[in-house]
Amino acid sequence: MSTLFHTMPEGGQAAESAGELAERIAALRAEPSEANARELAVLTERLRRLVPPANTPLSPLLAAARLAIPFDFSVPPSHRASGGQWVTAAKRAFVMGLRPLHVELLKPQAAFNQRVLRVLERLEARRDQGTREDLTDWVRGQLDAQGGGHAAPVGAARGFVGGSSVGVAQTREGAQGFGGTASSGVAQTRDGVRSVSEGSSEGVAQTRGDAQGFGGGSSAPASRAPHGTLDFVEVGAAGGPREQRKTRGFAPVELAWKLAWRAWRRAMRPVLEPLLERQAEWNARMRETLLSVAATPGSGTPDPLDATHRVARLVALASPLAQPGLPRGVRASAPLWSEVLRRQSRFNGEAVVALAAILGVRTPPPPVPALEDFHHWCTLRESGAIHAAREAVARLPRRPRLSLLVATAGACPAHLRECLASVEAQVYPEWELVLVGPEDGPALPEPWASSRRQPRIRRVTLSGPTDFARALRVGLQAASGDFVGVLGAEDSLAPHALAEVALALGANPGLDVVYGDEDRLDTRGRRTAPFFKPDWSPDLLRSVDYLGRGVMARRSLVESVGGFREGFPGAEEYDLFLRLSEATERIGHVPHLLYHRRLGTVGQVSQEGRRALSEHLARRGEDAEVTVPGPGRYRVRYAVRGTPKVSIIVPFKDRPDLLKTLTDTLLERTTYPHFELVLVSNNSVRPETFALLDTLNDPRVVKRTWDFPFNYPAINNWAAGQATGELLLFLNNDMEVVDPGWLTELVSQAQRPEVGAVGAKLLFPEGTVQHAGIVVGMTGMAGHPFWRLPDGPIVTPFGHTEWVRNWLSVTSACVMIRRPLFDALGGFDERFLLCGSDVDLGLRLHARGLRVVCTPFARVVHHESASRRTDAIPEPDYWRSFTSYRPWLLKGDPYYNPNLTLLSGDCDLRRHPEDGEALAVRTLAHEVPSARRPPT
C-alpha cells in the first residue's frame, strides 16, 4: 500500500508528488547559497503544508501530547471472528452512551496529563541545551498548580492522582476523585461535550453541580457558580480561551445532572476504587520521578540503575487495568472500562518512553507481537485482494498451466476434502491437480470421486512403497503443467493463490520459481502463526527452509535438476530448493498469504536437511561445515582461507570508561589471531582518556589522532587509509566483546566472493536485540527489525534473529568489508555527518550485485547512546539519506515484507497505509529540527 501526496504547482503544470518535492529540497540543501535561499524556504513551507502530520508521531513526546485528552473516545472494531460486531456495539454503547459521565470522571486527569507534558518538554529542552539548571521548584509548581495542600485519603473509593504527593483529593461524598486541576485545554459543556484546542494548556471549565468532587491536588473544593448557571470556556483554534461567559441555565436541568452524577458516582464506587487505583499510583510515581529528575544534573538526580528501576515500575503501571487480584465483578466489566481508559493507557506508555529518553535509560523490552487481531486483519485485506486477482487474471494474455502434486497416503478424509475444495475454489482456472496414493487406499471423498471432476483432477495409484519422495516423483512424471508445486493433503490454498502466481509470471515471464507467504491451521481450522517471508534470500535458505510450502517451480527446471530425490525423508522439498538455487536465481516472491499449512512449521530442521545442505555446499565448491546448533536453524561454518589481517577501526572522543571495556574485552576474549586495533581519537580532551591510552601497550593496538570537526564517514575513511589489514572492521567505541569466535565468524563470511559486507548481531546490555539488520523505510528513513525483542528463537510474523539473513545494509557500528572493495567504492560518503553513510554503503554494494549479510554467530554487546546520543542526528543527514534511499523507499525493502509494520521494529502486522517514502517525507516535513519551527 502507498500513501501519496500531490500538489499542483503554479502555472497548471503536472502534479508534483511530495517525494519529488522533497527531492528538489534535498538538492537545494546539498548546494546552499544565498541565491536559492528564498526558493528553499518556499518549497520547504509547501512541503509542510502538503504533507499532514502523522497520526502516530515518531517522537514519544509528540505521541503523548496527542493522547493527553483521555476522553477523546474511539472504540475500534473487535477482532473476534465470531460475534465481534456485537462486542463492538456493546463497548460503544457503554462508552458513548455514558460519555458525559466518563468525561467528568477523566477531566482532571486530562489536566494532570497536560502538566506532565509541560514538565517533560522543559526537562527535554534542558537536556538538549546541556544546561545544569535546577528546575525542582518550577516542576513542583507545575505539578502542584492551584493547590498546595495534600489531602489524605478519607473515603472508601480512590481515584486518579494529580498534583498531590499523597495522591487523592477528597470529594464531598467521601469518594476521592482524580487529582489535578483544570488546565487541559478542554471546555466542558453542560452535556459533557468538550472542545479540544491543540497546544492549549488552560481552560477546563467544570459543570455546575458536584463536579468539584474530583479535586485538584488540594482538599479545598472548587469554587461554585450561582445556582442555576453554567460556566464554560469556548476554546479558539489557536489555543487558549476565546471567550468566557456565563449562560443562564435551567435549575431543573442543573439539578438533574447533579443528581445523576452523584448517583452514578455512588453506584460505581465499588468498581472505580480497584479499577483506578493503579492509575493513581502511576500519577504519584510519575510526579515523584519528575521532581527527582528536575534537580541539577549529577546532583540528586537518579543514577542509571535507579532511573531504570523507576522507568520499569512506571511501565508496569501504565495500563490501569493490568492489576492482579481485581474483584470478580470488576474483571467482568474490565473490557468495557478498557475502552474508556484506552487513550490514558497509551498516554502513560508514551510519557514513560519520553521520560526514559530524558534519563538516558531504556524502557523494559516490548512484548513480542501477540497477533490477537490476525483474523480481523486478514478479513480487511483479503476480500479486496481476491477480487483484484480475479479481475487481473481476466486480462492476462497468457495463462500458464499450474500443476499441484498431492500425496494422499494417510490423509484425514475431512482435511483432504477441505484441501480439494480449496483447489476448486481458485479464481485462476488453468490448474491441474495430481493426486498420488496407494493402490489399496480409500476412494476420494465425494463429490471428487465422480467422473465429472476428472478433467482437471488426475488420480495416480502406487503399488509397493508409498513414501513421500516416491509419490512426488510419480506425480511429477504425470504432471503436464508449465509449473509444478507440492500441496499437502491436509493443507489448503487461499482462493487467489494460483492467480497470484500466474500474475507474477505474467509480470516477469523469466521467473523459474515463485513462492508466497503462509500461515497455519490449528486443530479447529483457524488460521494462526503467519510467516511473512522476504524476497529471495540465499543465505537465509542456508539457515532454514524458509521457502516452506506454496512454492511453484518451472517443471522443466525441476526435471533438469533431478526432481525429488529419495534418501532425504522429511527434507525432500528443501533438498529440491537447494538444487534449484544452484540452477537459477530467477526466484520471485508474492507477498500474500497464499498457503495454509496444517502440519509442520517453517523452520523445522533435521539431519536429512543438514545432509542436503552439506551436499549443496559441496556441489558449489564451498569449504564449509553444517551443524544444527539449536531448534529451527542450521549453521554453515565457512572455512577461513589463510589468516588475513583485520584492521579494527574504532573512532572515539573521550569516554575512557567505554574505551576500557572495549579494549579489555576485545584483546582478552578474541581468539582470531591476526588483527590490529586502530584507535582514532577525535578531539578528546580528558586526562583520563590519555592516561588509559598510555596503558595500552599491546602491540596489536595502534593509536591515531584525527582532531577535526566530527564527521563519522571522514574519520573512518582516513583511518582506513592508515590501516594495514586486508579486511576492514568498523566498530563503535561503546562495544563489549562476549563471543570469543566473533571475529572468526565475520572473517569467514567476509571472504566469500559473493558477499560485500557482513554485520554482527548487536545486543543491548539487558540481552535484547539492538541490531540484526537494517530495513530501508522503517521508522521514517531506515530502522532495525527485531529492535529490543528478546534474543533467541522467538516467534514473530517475520521469524527471528537466530538465522543468517541477507539485508540491504547493516550498521557501521560493526561491519566488515574487504579493503579492495571498500577502496573501489570510494569508502563512506563524507557528505553524511553522522547517520546514513552505512545504509548508503550497503545500497551501493547491492547495486554491484553483492550480498550484505548479518550473522547471529558473531554477537557483540552494544552500549548504544553511551558515547553520542542517537537523537542528535544532524539535519543534513536526513535529507542526504532521503536522496540515497529513495529508490528503495518507493518500491520497498526486498528483504522485509510489505505486510509488516514500518512504524516500529517489532515486526508486527502492518496496519498503516503509508509506504516508506510517505513516512520519510513526513519525517522531513514535521520531524527534523527546522520543521519544528512555527510556519511562516
Side-chain angles (χ1 to χ4, degrees):
M1 293 178 289
S2 174
T3 298
L4 299 177
F5 310 106
H6 289 84
T7 180
M8 179 65 72
E10 297 179 5
Q13 303 171 20
E16 181 179 40
S17 73
E20 292 166 342
L21 181 56
E23 188 87 69
R24 289 175 60 193
I25 296 172
L28 290 172
R29 294 180 64 95
E31 298 180 2
S33 68
E34 293 184 7
N36 65 28
R38 176 59 184 167
E39 182 183 5
L40 181 61
V42 170
L43 294 179
T44 301
E45 184 56 32
R46 183 188 299 174
L47 183 68
R48 292 185 62 187
R49 297 183 185 279
L50 174 63
V51 180
N55 291 326
T56 306
L58 299 179
S59 159
L61 198 54
L62 289 175
R66 296 182 184 180
L67 296 166
I69 307 302
F71 43 80
D72 189 7
F73 301 123
S74 175
V75 180
S78 172
H79 62 265
R80 298 192 183 195
S82 176
Q85 69 272 26
W86 301 110
V87 172
T88 302
K91 289 181 176 181
R92 288 175 177 168
F94 177 78
V95 173
M96 308 310 291
L98 299 175
R99 181 188 181 94
L101 299 170
H102 296 151
V103 168
E104 193 68 29
L105 189 71
L106 291 167
K107 189 168 56 179
Q109 180 65 33
F112 181 68
N113 292 350
Q114 291 286 350
R115 297 201 297 276
V116 168
L117 283 175
R118 286 199 297 274
V119 171
L120 288 172
E121 288 170 358
R122 182 71 179 274
L123 293 174
E124 186 183 70
R126 183 183 70 173
R127 180 203 64 184
D128 292 344
Q129 294 163 6
T131 64
R132 298 180 57 81
E133 180 183 5
D134 189 331
L135 298 175
T136 304
D137 291 341
W138 180 86
V139 170
R140 182 178 289 110
Q142 290 292 316
L143 297 178
D144 297 346
Q146 298 189 19
H150 305 308
V154 177
R158 300 184 54 156
F160 288 77
V161 185
S164 169
S165 61
V166 176
V168 184
Q170 178 67 18
T171 71
R172 195 170 56 196
E173 292 295 319
Q176 284 107 29
F178 300 71
T181 56
S183 60
S184 68
V186 180
Q188 181 66 25
T189 64
R190 183 169 53 205
D191 60 357
V193 178
R194 85 282 181 272
S195 171
V196 179
S197 168
E198 225 176 332
S200 172
S201 59
E202 332 179 300
V204 177
Q206 297 194 355
T207 59
R208 279 286 296 119
D210 231 8
Q212 77 273 14
F214 292 78
S218 170
S219 57
S223 60
R224 301 176 60 104
H227 183 70
T229 66
L230 174 66
D231 291 342
F232 70 96
V233 176
E234 189 175 5
V235 183
R242 178 166 54 203
E243 180 183 356
Q244 183 170 347
R245 63 184 184 270
K246 291 185 178 180
T247 303
R248 294 296 302 175
F250 296 96
V253 175
E254 186 66 27
L255 180 61
W257 164 251
K258 176 179 177 179
L259 293 175
W261 168 246
R262 290 171 114 184
W264 183 80
R265 190 177 61 193
R266 187 181 300 111
M268 296 304 298
R269 183 186 303 174
V271 175
L272 292 175
E273 177 181 355
L275 199 63
L276 306 177
E277 184 176 1
R278 198 176 184 88
Q279 181 66 44
E281 185 178 353
W282 186 92
N283 287 359
R285 287 183 178 272
M286 175 59 81
R287 177 187 182 277
E288 177 188 354
T289 302
L290 290 174
L291 283 170
S292 67
V293 177
T296 302
S299 175
T301 53
D303 59 46
L305 183 60
D306 180 33
T308 300
H309 288 162
R310 288 174 183 261
V311 167
R313 183 56 182 158
L314 284 167
V315 169
L317 293 168
S319 176
L321 292 171
Q323 178 178 352
L326 287 173
R328 181 178 302 175
V330 177
R331 291 200 305 271
S333 62
L336 301 176
W337 285 104
S338 67
E339 299 301 332
V340 176
L341 300 175
R342 176 185 293 274
R343 284 177 62 86
Q344 185 60 45
S345 298
R346 292 176 60 199
F347 171 85
N348 294 346
E350 296 292 352
V352 175
V353 174
L355 174 64
I358 293 169
L359 289 168
V361 299
R362 287 179 284 273
T363 57
V368 175
L371 306 184
E372 294 178 351
D373 65 340
F374 175 55
H375 181 274
H376 179 67
W377 185 90
C378 293
T379 301
L380 290 177
R381 286 157 177 78
E382 291 183 350
S383 59
I386 294 169
H387 177 73
R390 179 183 286 111
E391 290 190 339
V393 162
R395 298 190 297 269
L396 278 177
R398 179 181 177 275
R399 298 180 182 180
R401 194 173 200 193
L402 307 179
S403 297
L404 296 168
L405 311 182
V406 181
T408 61
C412 166
H415 294 161
L416 179 59
R417 185 178 296 112
E418 293 178 19
C419 172
L420 299 177
S422 76
V423 176
E424 286 217 324
Q426 293 298 300
V427 301
Y428 182 73
E430 296 298 325
W431 54 263
E432 174 188 57
L433 186 62
V434 181
L435 303 174
V436 185
E439 217 172 25
D440 56 351
L444 290 178
E446 291 295 342
W448 290 276
S450 62
S451 59
R452 71 180 181 86
R453 300 283 177 170
Q454 292 308 310
R456 291 188 295 182
I457 300 179
R458 305 181 63 182
R459 180 80 184 271
V460 180
T461 58
L462 294 176
S463 59
T466 58
D467 60 273
F468 190 58
R470 181 169 181 244
L472 294 181
R473 287 204 318 279
V474 171
L476 179 61
Q477 293 171 356
S480 61
D482 302 292
F483 282 75
V484 63
V486 176
L487 173 62
E490 299 189 357
D491 301 342
S492 61
L493 298 177
H496 58 317
L498 299 183
E500 293 290 355
V501 172
L503 291 171
L505 293 171
N508 188 351
L511 290 176
D512 292 318
V513 179
V514 180
Y515 64 94
D517 301 333
E518 61 182 280
D519 56 23
R520 290 200 63 191
L521 299 172
D522 65 12
T523 55
R524 297 170 59 182
R526 297 173 303 187
R527 291 169 58 185
T528 63
F531 178 48
F532 293 105
K533 308 168 186 177
D535 287 355
W536 171 233
S537 301
D539 284 286
L540 181 58
L541 187 64
R542 292 182 175 187
S543 284
V544 65
D545 177 13
Y546 85 95
L547 296 181
R549 287 281 172 88
V551 181
M552 301 294 295
R554 194 178 296 275
R555 182 167 60 91
S556 59
L557 183 64
V558 173
E559 292 171 343
S560 70
V561 300
F564 298 93
R565 295 197 301 171
E566 291 188 11
F568 299 90
E572 295 92 346
E573 291 160 275
Y574 184 47
D575 171 58
L576 175 62
F577 298 155
L578 291 168
R579 285 181 284 118
L580 287 172
S581 72
E582 299 164 25
T584 183
E585 288 195 348
R586 296 189 295 271
I587 301 174
H589 170 222
V590 177
H592 292 280
L593 290 168
L594 305 181
Y595 195 96
H596 313 308
R597 180 197 295 251
R598 193 179 300 273
L599 298 175
T601 59
V602 172
Q604 289 181 317
V605 300
S606 64
Q607 289 303 317
E608 290 75 17
R610 184 196 65 77
R611 185 160 53 84
L613 181 54
S614 295
E615 292 186 10
H616 160 72
L617 293 166
R619 289 191 299 270
R620 295 292 297 262
E622 298 184 51
D623 186 4
E625 175 192 9
V626 180
T627 61
V628 182
R633 56 194 170 122
Y634 300 106
R635 179 179 182 181
V636 178
R637 292 179 181 267
Y638 298 95
V640 175
R641 298 189 300 275
T643 53
K645 185 177 184 180
V646 180
S647 294
I648 305 174
I649 297 170
V650 181
F652 68 93
K653 179 182 179 181
D654 288 317
R655 291 306 304 265
D657 54 330
L658 296 174
L659 194 60
K660 179 172 175 54
T661 297
L662 170 67
T663 54
D664 285 355
T665 58
L666 190 153
L667 295 171
E668 293 173 6
R669 297 174 182 171
T670 302
T671 55
Y672 185 79
H674 197 194
F675 68 87
E676 64 175 353
L677 179 57
V678 183
L679 303 177
V680 186
S681 174
N682 175 224
N683 298 310
S684 297
V685 295
R686 293 180 56 182
E688 299 91 336
T689 302
F690 301 111
L692 173 63
L693 292 173
D694 289 340
T695 67
L696 296 175
N697 298 317
D698 191 301
R700 295 172 294 180
V701 176
V702 178
K703 306 165 194 175
R704 295 287 184 262
T705 301
W706 195 82
D707 284 343
F708 298 94
F710 178 78
N711 180 303
Y712 185 77
I715 298 172
N716 281 300
N717 287 343
W718 178 84
Q722 305 296 306
T724 59
E726 304 167 51
L727 297 167
L728 303 176
L729 174 62
F730 299 97
L731 190 67
N732 272 20
N733 66 321
D734 51 358
M735 296 293 188
E736 179 181 351
V737 172
V738 291
D739 288 345
W742 72 289
L743 194 54
T744 303
E745 171 68 9
L746 294 177
V747 170
S748 70
Q749 295 280 358
Q751 282 188 314
R752 297 167 58 199
E754 66 272 21
V755 171
V758 55
K761 179 197 285 188
L762 305 182
L763 303 176
F764 285 117
E766 70 269 19
T768 58
V769 175
Q770 188 269 332
H771 168 268
I774 289 177
V775 170
V776 174
M778 180 176 281
T779 62
M781 287 291 175
H784 294 186
F786 307 106
W787 190 78
R788 299 215 64 209
L789 293 181
D791 184 27
I794 58 173
V795 178
T796 79
F798 196 51
H800 52 71
T801 62
E802 292 294 279
W803 299 328
V804 176
R805 289 181 183 255
N806 299 112
W807 301 98
L808 282 178
S809 186
V810 290
T811 178
S812 59
C814 181
V815 61
M816 181 177 286
I817 185 172
R818 297 186 296 277
R819 171 188 284 280
L821 182 56
F822 185 77
D823 293 340
L825 290 169
F828 292 108
D829 188 338
E830 296 182 14
R831 289 174 293 181
F832 294 91
L833 299 177
L834 174 62
C835 293
S837 62
D838 47 4
V839 179
D840 174 78
L841 184 74
L843 297 180
R844 287 187 281 145
L845 288 168
H846 188 272
R848 289 184 169 227
L850 295 169
R851 303 179 197 167
V852 176
V853 172
C854 186
T855 171
F857 303 111
R859 297 183 311 152
V860 183
V861 172
H862 189 190
H863 300 271
E864 188 185 40
S865 299
S867 54
R868 292 182 186 269
R869 285 211 327 271
T870 56
D871 61 343
I873 300 175
E875 183 164 339
D877 285 355
Y878 283 102
W879 295 97
R880 183 63 203 159
S881 293
F882 179 75
T883 299
S884 174
Y885 307 172
R886 192 178 178 216
W888 299 104
L889 294 172
L890 282 166
K891 58 187 175 184
D893 191 316
Y895 299 111
Y896 196 49
N897 189 294
N899 293 290
L900 302 176
T901 183
L902 293 173
L903 297 180
S904 66
D906 61 2
C907 303
D908 200 354
L909 301 177
R910 182 168 171 177
R911 301 176 179 88
H912 58 86
E914 300 91 350
D915 60 13
E917 176 167 291
L919 292 176
V921 170
R922 185 167 285 159
T923 297
L924 297 173
H926 298 287
E927 297 285 332
V928 298
S930 65
R932 297 171 190 165
R933 294 194 292 267
T936 57

